[in-house]
Amino acid sequence: QTAQLQFFFPDAVLANGTYYECGSFIGGTSTIGTGNMFNHALFATPYAKSSGVDSTLEIDLSFS
């Protein structure tokens, strides 16, 4: 049993910079810091986001 989630971040939404990790939250609102983190991943290679580039993030969750 696997759930595959994909998130699209338009250029104007995701700030430029270098990202080293990401996390998924449940039970939150549009306010930063709300909800509970249920998934956390550290990138093996940092992701350098630059102006004019949209980003897509895919998370595969396995349930057993």
Side-chain angles (χ1 to χ4, degrees):
Q1 307 283 14
T2 301
Q4 187 177 70
L5 306 173
Q6 292 182 336
F7 304 94
F8 176 73
F9 300 97
D11 181 52
V13 176
L14 188 62
N16 292 346
T18 302
Y19 295 86
Y20 299 92
E21 60 185 330
C22 71
S24 301
F25 292 81
I26 57 173
T29 66
S30 59
T31 303
I32 293 175
T34 61
N36 297 305
M37 182 182 287
F38 74 93
N39 174 276
H40 181 241
L42 299 174
F43 298 145
T45 303
Y47 170 59
K49 172 28 180 114
S50 58
S51 180
V53 178
D54 294 331
S55 301
T56 301
L57 177 66
E58 180 178 301
I59 298 172
D60 296 328
L61 302 172
S62 298
F63 302 94
S64 56

